[in-house]
Amino acid sequence: MDRPHLTQALARLRGPDGPELGCDACFEELDRYVELELAGEDADAAIPGLRAHLGGCPACREEHESLYALVSGEQKP
Ligand SMILES: [Zn+2]
């Protein structure tokens, strides 16, 4: 009998049709996601599920906002 990974179990708790991405995966991809956003690329297509996770996870949304502000500040000419 397989035990589901904790992150998968937690992701399931967020809703039956919730994002497949857990907080760990979200954190891992957040750098790349923000860079794609700032580059004008389709970040949602490159990393599916992350936007949905941000919508349902205040902690990751806050992390995204501060990372976005940090990276966009760094890229100012
Ligand atoms: Zn999260």
Side-chain angles (χ1 to χ4, degrees), residues 2-26 53:
D2 287 336
R3 280 178 56 185
H5 290 293
L6 183 59
T7 47
Q8 288 175 341
L10 288 174
R12 270 173 205 277
L13 285 177
R14 295 186 202 291
D17 294 318
E20 291 177 14
L21 222 57
C23 285
D24 287 349
C26 181
H53 181 82

Side-chain angles (χ1 to χ4, degrees), residues 42-61:
D42 194 347
D44 293 321
I47 311 169
L50 199 146
R51 170 63 62 186
H53 181 82
L54 293 181
C57 182
C60 287
R61 192 161 61 235

Side-chain angles (χ1 to χ4, degrees), residues 29-51:
E29 299 283 19
L30 209 53
D31 275 11
R32 195 158 69 93
Y33 186 87
V34 168
E35 279 176 13
L36 287 168
E37 275 189 307
L38 289 170
E41 304 283 337
D42 194 347
D44 293 321
I47 311 169
L50 199 146
R51 170 63 62 186

